[in-house]
Amino acid sequence: MESFCFTQPHATTLKRIDWYIIKKFLGTFFFSIVLILSIAIVFDLTEKMDDFFENQVPLHEIIFEYYLPFIPYYMNMFSSLFIFISVIFFTSKLAGNSEIIAMQATGMSFHRLMVPYAISATVLCVLSIWLGGWVIPQSSKHMLAFTDKYIEHFTTENARNIQLEVEPGTVLYIESFQRRAGIGYRCSIEHFEGKTLVDRTTADRIYYDSLEYWHLDHYTERTFTGMHESLERGIRKDITLAVIPDELFITAQQAQQMTTPELRHYMQRQRERGSGNVKAFEVEYHKRWASPLGAFIMTLLGVTMSSRKVRGGMGKNLGIGIVLTAGYILFSTVSTTFSVNNVMSPFIAAWLPNFVFLGISIPLYIRASR
């Protein structure tokens, strides 16, 4: 272990202490990630080995299309656990070796001790925002495409019973749609003014042309004016609809495959259409900011719990840390479910775990700083 002279509280010594703590924090964090993910990959490889052999999957695809995206995805998912355990682990060692006592003997306050921890948490927060907002959505597409091709087929080129508000007051219904051909069968388009139906067009087939241009085959259009109705039939009609075929296949699970700018654009587009079915996308968007900022809360909680020398070493602190972090992850999952089921708003669902654990951390921090 590196040793420092804590008897001189001048700026140079404090700077060395800062870098010492930062190195220990980040080093322990990344070491724990490598260790845990290595074990996870071994277990996953053992489980899927038969699928790989049966489908004769090339080695380079296994590595670059599946396991390379696997690493950032699970690293970001369990970053709170890794951060908390890392802080508990190396801070308990510092306290057990009386290094924290030596730092405070030089005149370093508990608040000053938190500076290198805050710097480290900022690095991990920025890293998590970058991974969750840009890297993971792109890599997830490769991982899911690999899974769909070799392990479990779950994507479809056909959709049934599609109902979508393509713009305020315009509702599109398609009984079945073939994605590859861009053809839908038995569709209807309804226009409303408030709650009043203005016109309704039905067609045997609907074709996608390009840039929101569509064609109707064998259509019937009914226009309602008060108690009167006018009828028009035809073989072919060209129309514009503010939707493209890919949007007919977007599900809540695909929110994780969108980068943060793409996710924000999609939600804005859905709101402009008047569609309220964006709960899962809003939750995903808010979680991409709330979860990284949880790094500061987990760091604060970890330091306050492990900065004092206690009997029994770090075992007790690690046990409590794992329980608390598991509670944090469980709380996040439950609140997300409540939001999707319209029990609470997406913002509250994403940020509530942070608010609750911040409320736990602040009294512990005040107590530890005395």
Side-chain angles (χ1 to χ4, degrees):
M1 178 177 292
E2 299 181 39
S3 60
F4 294 95
C5 176
F6 297 110
T7 58
Q8 297 294 328
H10 51 76
T12 303
T13 303
L14 293 177
K15 187 175 181 180
R16 289 186 63 197
I17 294 173
D18 291 338
W19 284 110
Y20 174 68
I21 293 176
I22 291 171
K23 183 177 72 173
K24 289 292 185 182
F25 189 153
L26 297 180
T28 306
F29 175 79
F30 287 109
F31 175 79
S32 63
I33 284 177
V34 171
L35 180 62
I36 299 299
L37 289 184
S38 297
I39 296 172
I41 288 173
V42 169
F43 277 104
D44 188 77
L45 181 62
T46 303
E47 180 182 348
K48 294 184 172 61
M49 187 68 74
D50 291 339
D51 294 316
F52 294 157
F53 278 116
E54 182 179 341
N55 294 293
Q56 298 181 342
V57 185
L59 180 60
H60 71 275
E61 288 193 36
I62 295 175
I63 296 173
F64 295 104
E65 299 295 323
Y66 185 72
Y67 282 112
L68 196 60
F70 181 99
I71 293 171
Y73 178 80
Y74 285 98
M75 168 184 167
N76 203 50
M77 178 184 293
F78 297 107
S79 60
S80 299
L81 176 63
F82 292 137
I83 289 172
F84 199 78
I85 290 178
S86 299
V87 172
I88 290 283
F89 183 80
F90 87 87
T91 305
S92 294
K93 289 187 67 175
L94 292 178
N97 294 329
S98 301
E99 293 181 74
I100 292 180
I101 295 175
M103 294 177 196
Q104 293 177 330
T106 65
M108 176 185 287
S109 67
F110 192 79
H111 305 296
R112 178 61 183 83
L113 176 65
M114 291 298 302
V115 170
Y117 285 95
I119 293 172
S120 302
T122 301
V123 171
L124 297 178
C125 175
V126 173
L127 176 62
S128 181
I129 291 173
W130 176 62
L131 288 176
W134 285 268
V135 176
I136 293 174
Q138 295 298 330
S139 62
S140 292
K141 294 177 182 178
H142 296 287
M143 188 167 66
L144 291 174
F146 179 94
T147 303
D148 181 62
K149 182 178 180 181
Y150 294 114
I151 301 174
E152 181 182 1
H153 184 70
F154 56 86
T155 59
T156 179
E157 292 296 321
N158 301 301
R160 297 187 61 83
N161 297 321
I162 302 165
Q163 186 168 344
L164 177 69
E165 188 172 15
V166 295
E167 57 187 34
T170 302
V171 178
L172 170 67
Y173 171 80
I174 304 176
E175 184 174 305
S176 64
F177 191 87
Q178 297 177 359
R179 186 177 195 172
R180 191 178 299 275
I183 301 175
Y185 298 92
R186 289 173 291 281
C187 77
S188 68
I189 305 167
E190 299 175 336
H191 294 96
F192 291 85
E193 289 183 0
K195 295 183 179 180
T196 303
L197 179 63
V198 177
D199 62 72
R200 183 173 189 266
T201 302
T202 59
D204 290 342
R205 287 184 296 273
I206 182 170
Y207 299 84
Y208 177 70
D209 186 352
S210 61
L211 198 62
E212 300 180 356
Y213 285 95
W214 297 76
H215 309 296
L216 299 178
D217 276 359
H218 301 285
Y219 71 92
T220 300
E221 182 177 351
R222 289 180 169 85
T223 303
F224 306 96
T225 306
M227 300 296 294
H228 301 283
E229 175 185 346
S230 60
L231 181 66
E232 177 187 338
R233 288 192 174 95
I235 301 299
R236 180 184 174 93
K237 184 175 183 178
D238 299 334
I239 62 172
T240 58
L241 290 173
V243 65
I244 60 176
D246 285 347
E247 292 179 292
L248 303 178
F249 291 82
I250 291 178
T251 62
Q253 288 74 20
Q254 291 175 283
Q256 296 181 355
Q257 300 176 46
M258 297 180 182
T259 64
T260 298
E262 290 171 345
L263 190 58
R264 185 165 52 242
H265 174 73
Y266 176 80
M267 292 190 299
Q268 181 180 354
R269 184 177 174 86
Q270 292 299 99
R271 293 191 190 103
E272 289 173 352
R273 289 174 172 169
S275 174
N277 189 26
V278 291
K279 287 283 186 181
F281 297 88
E282 290 178 340
V283 171
E284 175 66 20
Y285 180 77
H286 288 298
K287 282 179 67 176
R288 290 187 183 182
W289 299 103
S291 296
L293 290 174
F296 294 99
I297 298 173
M298 292 294 102
T299 299
L300 180 65
L301 189 58
V303 175
T304 56
M305 288 182 55
S306 57
S307 59
R308 293 188 178 185
K309 189 173 183 178
V310 295
R311 293 181 180 179
M314 70 180 72
K316 180 180 179 181
N317 290 334
L318 278 175
I320 296 174
I322 292 174
V323 171
L324 284 174
T325 311
Y328 178 82
I329 296 172
L330 179 62
F331 199 173
S332 299
T333 303
V334 171
S335 63
T336 298
T337 303
F338 284 162
S339 176
V340 172
N341 292 327
N342 294 317
V343 177
M344 63 176 65
S345 72
F347 177 84
I348 294 177
W351 288 92
L352 186 59
N354 282 359
F355 294 148
V356 171
F357 276 77
L358 182 62
I360 297 173
S361 302
I362 290 176
L364 291 176
Y365 175 78
I366 294 173
R367 179 184 176 186
S369 62
R370 290 174 181 172

